[in-house]
Amino acid sequence: MSGALDPEAAARIDPEQLRLYGSAIAVRDTAGEAYTLFVPPVATSVAQGPLVAGRSYQIVARVVENGGEKPMLALMSYDDLTPLP
């Protein structure tokens, strides 16, 4: 997971998307590609814990916007894959 959006990604988000899909964060896949991920409150309320920058997650999401260079995704669920200490 990455965290804050870069200015280009943030500029693509409109207030209606935030209202419909929740807050937006940046995530990276295993190849290092960055994506915008909307995090609705309901997804985090049923999860095992909060999303934390620097940890590895398996994410289930749906595409909500595909008009730009990269799709924007809405989080449905996630599992923390970071090994326990």
Side-chain angles (χ1 to χ4, degrees), residues 3-79:
L5 294 172
D6 65 56
E8 182 181 325
R12 290 181 48 211
I13 298 171
D14 65 49
E16 183 66 7
Q17 289 172 315
L18 294 173
R19 186 185 73 74
L20 290 171
Y21 308 121
S23 60
I25 61 171
V27 294
R28 294 194 180 278
D29 64 16
T30 55
E33 292 292 320
Y35 295 90
T36 299
L37 180 69
F38 291 100
V39 182
V42 69
T44 55
S45 69
V46 297
Q48 65 205 16
L51 291 167
V52 178
R55 298 191 94 160
S56 295
Y57 294 93
Q58 179 177 11
I59 293 174
V60 177
R62 65 184 176 98
V63 174
V64 295
E65 173 68 43
N66 205 15
E69 183 178 312
K70 293 183 182 173
M72 291 180 168
L73 309 168
L75 180 67
M76 296 177 74
S77 68
Y78 60 92
D79 288 312

